[in-house]
Amino acid sequence: MAPPMSASRFLDALRDEGLSVVQVGDWRTHNRNHKGPWGPVHGVMIHHTVTRGTAHTVALCRDGHSALPGPLCHGVIAKDGTVHLVGYGRANHAGAGDDEVLRAVIAERSLPPDNEATTDGNRHFYGFECENLGNGSDPWPKVQLEAIEKAAAAVCRVHGWNQRSVIGHLEWQPGKVDPRGFTMASMRARIAERLR
């Protein structure tokens, strides 16, 4: 049972991992906490945005849209590897997912197939949206993949988690495909190496 780190500790953790961070507006208090609890936290979830253009992507992830209010994550990882912090606390990124997957994340063991959506993920996961069209052909620049690795490792380092605490949205919620264009197995291997 891990309480979320403070917003200031989150910022410091990302910077300590060597990331370039942009603070967007009132990100420290921009959240959906009035809709339910934030925490205990158990892992990090990686997404792709299905957008093009950093400014547009950051604005969308901060503000959301008519069907889904923002913030849509905690940090947006741009093509150039910069992390834009858009919210902190409960964020509309994970949605409902598989309780067996959550138990596997908590135990840091291999993930079972996600075949139900019965558990509130927004409560339990830090979320990073990564700027990409998500069509399988939009490239993932080396610097962006490195930033995803660093951001996830930063959170894991603070909480004492290993790479198995990092999952993709596609591993949490049936029907999701993100992130598309790299495998979560390869990203977890990178995170494991960084945490060693």
Side-chain angles (χ1 to χ4, degrees):
M1 300 279 286
M5 65 182 104
S6 69
S8 293
R9 183 69 187 96
F10 182 58
L11 174 61
D12 289 345
L14 296 173
R15 287 177 168 164
D16 289 349
E17 207 67 41
L19 288 159
S20 174
V21 180
V22 174
Q23 300 179 68
V24 181
D26 60 349
W27 73 273
R28 293 169 185 266
T29 56
H30 184 51
N31 56 55
R32 303 285 295 162
N33 289 359
H34 63 285
K35 290 293 185 181
W38 163 231
V41 288
H42 300 299
V44 179
M45 191 171 294
I46 306 299
H47 307 261
H48 65 230
T49 58
V50 197
T51 58
R52 175 181 281 131
T54 300
H56 165 70
T57 299
V58 170
L60 177 66
C61 289
R62 186 200 179 281
D63 300 331
H65 49 81
S66 60
L68 193 65
L72 304 184
C73 60
H74 301 106
V76 178
I77 302 177
K79 290 279 194 181
D80 68 358
T82 302
V83 179
H84 299 257
L85 298 181
V86 297
Y88 203 70
R90 185 181 178 90
N92 275 335
H93 73 99
D98 195 307
D99 61 331
E100 291 179 8
V101 171
L102 181 61
R103 285 196 290 276
V105 170
I106 293 168
E108 295 183 320
R109 58 179 167 76
S110 296
L111 299 176
D114 56 325
N115 56 20
E116 59 185 5
T118 57
T119 301
D120 176 12
N122 295 332
R123 176 180 184 176
H124 296 300
F125 288 94
Y126 295 90
F128 290 98
E129 285 279 0
C130 306
E131 180 188 344
N132 191 277
L133 291 174
N135 57 11
S137 58
D138 188 15
W140 290 92
K142 180 179 177 182
V143 68
Q144 187 181 27
L145 290 172
E146 186 175 82
I148 297 167
E149 168 196 325
K150 287 179 176 180
V155 176
C156 289
R157 204 178 295 284
V158 169
H159 286 293
W161 298 335
N162 71 28
Q163 75 281 1
R164 291 187 184 270
S165 294
V166 183
I167 67 173
H169 201 191
L170 77 171
E171 296 173 308
W172 170 247
Q173 191 176 69
K176 296 297 182 180
V177 299
D178 54 317
R180 179 181 280 170
F182 65 88
T183 68
M184 285 307 301
S186 68
M187 183 54 67
R188 281 189 285 269
R190 295 174 64 135
I191 294 164
E193 185 63 28
R194 175 164 289 277
L195 290 171
R196 266 200 276 276

